[in-house]
Amino acid sequence: KSFEKYTSIEKNLKLIYKTGFYSDAYAVVTRSGTEAKIIYNLISYPVLNNVTVTNANISTESLINKFKDAQIGKQVNSKEYYAFYDELLGTLRDDGYSLIDIEKFYFNYYNNTLEIAFSKGNIHKTILSGNSATGKNIVMRELTYGHTSPVKKSELNQSLKNVMSTNLFQQV
């Protein structure tokens, strides 16, 4: 072309980058006399080789397997990966696992592996304080969650309901 505005070049670069297939996109403009030449340079994401998961959860297992089947051997698309992250987190929340979080969602360029790590989502220790009238074991037996498995929101709600139903407390 003989003339193109820099704003249109920027717009094109943004559109290219928004596809999710490129880690970088830039343009080189060269001029020769009255003519300008635009060369778009696109740096593609690599191909996904593997997905590793730490602390997998039954809620997300089928979603992860579906993602692996669809994505391994294909070029990484950042838009699809962001959507997958949101879908994983949404699934955990929809299933009541409010304490499980995605601690790591990282593409390792060394071996082209998506690394996902979930927190365990369990309560490590329950401390009862400010209570001198009621024995600790009476309150603790009303708690429905364990300390070794992921805790669901429903278990926390049920525990609170159980403690309140003992009529030993005016407020919790």
Side-chain angles (χ1 to χ4, degrees), residues 146-160:
H147 291 98
T148 57
S149 61
V151 177
K152 285 187 156 190
K153 182 180 178 185
S154 60
E155 293 172 314
L156 295 173
N157 289 337
Q158 186 61 49
S159 295
L160 183 58

Side-chain angles (χ1 to χ4, degrees), residues 83-148:
F84 177 54
Y85 177 94
D86 289 341
E87 191 174 5
L88 284 173
L89 202 54
T91 298
L92 289 169
R93 298 303 175 256
D94 289 346
D95 290 349
Y97 291 106
S98 57
L99 296 180
I100 296 178
D101 199 12
I102 301 172
E103 293 181 329
K104 182 179 186 182
F105 193 88
Y106 172 76
F107 187 80
N108 185 331
Y109 284 90
Y110 180 73
N111 57 12
N112 294 352
T113 298
L114 178 62
E115 299 172 2
I116 305 170
F118 296 97
S119 64
K120 291 184 179 179
N122 58 346
I123 296 175
H124 301 285
K125 188 176 185 180
T126 304
I127 300 171
L128 182 62
S129 65
N131 173 41
S132 56
T134 307
K136 181 179 178 180
N137 61 336
I138 293 171
V139 175
M140 297 304 264
R141 74 176 179 210
E142 298 299 327
L143 304 179
T144 59
Y145 61 85
H147 291 98
T148 57

